[in-house]
Amino acid sequence: MKHKLILTSTAFILGALLAIPHVTFAQAGSLDLSFGDDGMVTTSFGEETQIARAVAIQDDGKILVAGAIMDFIGSGTYESDFALSRYDTDGNLDNTFDNDGKVTTSIGTYCVGYSLALQSDGKIVLSGSAWDGTKDDFALLRYHMNGSLDSTFDTDGMVTTPMNGNSAGYAVAIQSDGKIVVAGSCRNRMSIALARYNLNGSLDTTFDNDGKVMTPADAGYFRGNAMAIQPDGKILVAGSASEMFALVRFNINGSLDTTFGSGGIVTTFIGGLWDRAYSVAIQSDGKIVMSGLVWDGTKEDFALLRYQMNGSLDSTFDADGVVITPVGNYHGGEGHSLAIQPDGSILVAGGSQNGSHDDFTIVRYTNNGSLDTTFDSDGIVYTSFGTGDSFIHSMALQSDGKIVVAGEAYNGSETDFALARYNNTSSLGISNANSQTAEIKIFPNPFSDLATFQSDIVLKEASLIIYNLYGEKVKLINNINGQTVDFHRDNLPAGLYFLQVNQGNNPVSGFFQARFIITD
């Protein structure tokens, strides 16, 4: 039986609704035009080269980006500093962060930031490398939320740790007990290296006796680029081994986990002249996903692999556990960052060449490894920052699902920090009220604080999803049972909104068309 949508409203509101019979929701993968300049932001620290290597989202929605700034001083030499910037949710630099939104920190003449992590108290942890005059060491810094160095962390907010030869901390993560783990490479980038620190910055001697772990010399060529900590505390490090994908799992005490792969180590040869992993993530079911590149001697392609918890390739993922995706139309690309959405979809971000320059590139896959064609119609999004090269090094998901990426963009004279934010909703249309077929009452409408939504069918474990006029999901209420639900405005601004009701993962027919207005 068909039902007619019933809205309790004034003639003024009906007129306003009829005046906008069609509303197109933002395409998943489209740039978020409310962010920066049409979805993109660039930031200069005043040097010739600024490269963003990491991005993280604070609980309040502000965006942190870290990397390095470099100043070339002649004769092929240069100096560099750690660089950190923070942005408001609209992409503007946050002036409450060290007065101008930007912080630089020097350790010696050459230092680079590679990875960010946020403590539960909001303090900011940055890992990288620092030159001590003869070699690079692990470097770890901690900042207060206002951008100042935290003097309770090794007295000055900075810790350097010699590993074995040239070394760099490419990844940092916070354990559930607050201890800080840094993963990277040592022995001139030839071995995987780990270090674990106490909250005060001292090395944790319960971790392999001295706080440091390096892969055995007979383990072959290893480079650790990324890290993830399992819920049970075991540590996964992803990278490359003799030009193959490599994945290593350590027990919580720093020893190799011999239940994983061969003695704790898994290597996967895809078939290229070199295969390299740059990112790793853990699905909610415990399966492990790793992204990177495969190079066949002519071009580079995005590579995505999924493993079972024991380290074996997952044959339910594109039949053999391996997905290769050509991107760009010239040289191909590299999948440098990885994120898993709550619905299981997998995002890989990096860069690809279009024949004249590199572009920001994002690919979305379904949970089975196929390209997700609801993401920009073919599963792949390219973004150019003018006519110069641009490349994504890191990606993070906001609480509303929007995708934030950070990297670098060349503007013709210098390379700047570059950010972009993308919508992550489906492309949906709102048609005229005359074509709607389900009954839902909203009263009062308009309202300023509280309204009641009443359906003509009994809902079971349903979800109520609210979108604003731009197609952005702004509120979610789960576990609805019955036929009525009280809707509190909370912090939603005044304006026009649209209602969708889901039973499980599927929209209830007709309910998406409901509209209401919040007033001040």
Side-chain angles (χ1 to χ4, degrees):
M1 179 177 67
K2 291 188 176 181
H3 300 276
K4 180 173 67 175
L5 176 68
I6 300 174
L7 289 176
T8 304
S9 61
T10 66
F12 171 79
I13 299 302
L14 285 174
L17 297 179
L18 291 174
I20 49 168
H22 295 278
V23 176
T24 300
F25 273 62
Q27 169 75 33
S30 62
L31 283 165
D32 176 10
L33 303 184
S34 69
F35 184 75
D37 183 9
D38 291 335
M40 298 181 286
V41 171
T42 58
T43 300
S44 173
F45 286 73
E47 301 295 344
E48 184 173 345
T49 300
Q50 290 101 168
I51 298 176
R53 298 282 185 178
V55 62
I57 312 295
Q58 295 185 172
D59 289 341
D60 61 3
K62 291 182 178 181
I63 300 166
L64 281 162
V65 177
I69 60 171
M70 300 179 184
D71 180 23
F72 289 86
I73 57 178
S75 302
T77 61
Y78 58 94
E79 298 177 346
S80 66
D81 294 330
F82 293 103
L84 189 61
S85 56
R86 190 166 72 192
Y87 305 83
D88 290 327
T89 56
D90 57 6
N92 292 322
L93 282 166
D94 175 14
N95 291 332
T96 68
F97 191 70
D98 201 47
N99 297 319
D100 63 355
K102 298 181 287 186
V103 171
T104 59
T105 305
S106 177
I107 301 179
T109 58
Y110 180 78
C111 47
V112 178
Y114 290 107
S115 185
L116 275 173
L118 299 177
Q119 295 186 172
S120 59
D121 60 2
K123 290 182 179 180
I124 303 158
V125 180
L126 171 62
S127 73
S129 64
W131 178 254
D132 71 355
T134 58
K135 63 179 178 13
D136 287 321
D137 295 331
F138 271 24
L140 189 63
L141 296 81
R142 191 165 73 191
Y143 300 85
H144 293 293
M145 292 184 68
N146 64 4
S148 63
L149 284 164
D150 177 11
S151 61
T152 68
F153 191 71
D154 198 49
T155 71
D156 61 358
M158 301 181 287
V159 173
T160 57
T161 305
M163 298 301 287
N164 184 358
N166 282 321
S167 55
Y170 294 118
V172 63
I174 311 294
Q175 292 186 169
S176 58
D177 61 2
K179 291 181 179 180
I180 302 165
V181 183
V182 177
S185 297
C186 66
R187 293 179 60 232
N188 298 324
R189 315 301 199 267
M190 295 292 287
S191 292
I192 285 177
L194 288 170
R196 191 164 74 194
Y197 302 84
N198 296 308
L199 281 171
N200 63 3
S202 62
L203 284 165
D204 174 16
T205 56
T206 68
F207 191 67
D208 202 45
N209 298 318
D210 62 356
K212 300 186 288 186
V213 172
M214 286 158 275
T215 50
D218 60 358
Y221 169 88
F222 272 98
R223 181 185 174 102
N225 292 322
M227 172 178 52
I229 298 179
Q230 296 184 172
D232 62 3
K234 292 183 178 182
I235 302 164
L236 286 161
V237 178
S240 58
S242 302
E243 305 304 351
M244 296 184 289
F245 276 85
L247 189 60
V248 184
R249 191 163 73 191
F250 298 86
N251 293 309
I252 197 167
N253 64 2
S255 62
L256 285 167
D257 177 10
T258 56
T259 68
F260 185 76
S262 176
I265 300 171
V266 171
T267 57
T268 303
F269 177 64
I270 298 178
L273 293 181
W274 67 55
D275 307 330
R276 294 177 180 174
Y278 292 109
S279 190
V280 64
I282 301 167
Q283 294 186 171
S284 59
D285 60 3
K287 291 181 179 180
I288 303 159
V289 184
M290 190 161 58
S291 71
L293 69 88
V294 55
W295 184 61
D296 64 5
T298 303
K299 62 181 177 63
E300 296 168 340
D301 294 328
F302 273 31
L304 185 65
L305 290 76
R306 190 166 74 191
Y307 298 86
Q308 304 282 358
M309 292 182 68
N310 63 3
S312 61
L313 282 166
D314 177 13
S315 60
T316 69
F317 192 69
D318 201 47
D320 61 358
V322 179
V323 175
I324 306 299
T325 305
V327 292
N329 56 17
Y330 178 64
H331 188 265
E334 304 176 12
H336 264 248
S337 190
L338 171 67
I340 298 174
Q341 295 184 182
D343 64 359
S345 299
I346 301 167
L347 289 158
V348 180
S352 63
Q353 292 187 350
N354 65 16
S356 61
H357 59 265
D358 289 337
D359 291 331
F360 273 25
T361 305
I362 305 176
V363 183
R364 189 164 78 184
Y365 304 84
T366 66
N367 191 47
N368 65 11
S370 61
L371 284 170
D372 181 358
T373 56
T374 68
F375 190 71
D376 199 49
S377 75
D378 62 356
I380 306 174
V381 170
Y382 304 101
T383 303
S384 293
F385 281 75
T387 59
D389 287 335
S390 56
F391 196 94
I392 298 170
H393 290 287
S394 186
M395 171 172 51
L397 296 180
Q398 295 186 168
S399 59
D400 62 1
K402 289 185 179 181
I403 305 161
V404 180
V405 295
E408 62 194 85
Y410 183 65
N411 64 17
S413 61
E414 66 181 29
T415 301
D416 295 329
F417 272 23
L419 292 81
R421 189 166 72 193
Y422 300 84
N423 295 304
N424 202 12
T425 57
S426 297
S427 180
L428 298 168
I430 304 295
S431 60
N432 196 294
N434 292 332
S435 65
Q436 300 169 18
T437 59
E439 180 177 283
I440 182 169
K441 296 178 181 179
I442 303 174
F443 52 90
N445 187 21
F447 63 91
S448 61
D449 182 48
L450 175 68
T452 298
F453 295 168
Q454 180 176 315
S455 73
D456 68 338
I457 62 173
V458 177
L459 302 172
K460 294 182 178 180
E461 297 182 358
S463 300
L464 180 67
I465 306 169
I466 304 299
Y467 295 86
N468 65 17
L469 184 59
Y470 303 102
E472 301 165 330
K473 184 169 67 176
V474 295
K475 190 174 179 68
L476 172 66
I477 303 175
N478 289 316
N479 301 317
I480 298 172
N481 294 283
Q483 291 180 270
T484 63
V485 58
D486 289 333
F487 180 84
H488 294 269
R489 171 186 184 166
D490 294 331
N491 295 321
L492 291 178
L496 175 64
Y497 294 88
F498 302 89
L499 165 67
Q500 177 179 313
V501 179
N502 279 16
Q503 290 270 193
N505 293 321
N506 301 312
V508 177
S509 177
F511 278 30
F512 190 78
Q513 310 300 336
R515 307 167 179 175
F516 61 91
I517 287 181
I518 296 176
T519 61
D520 287 329

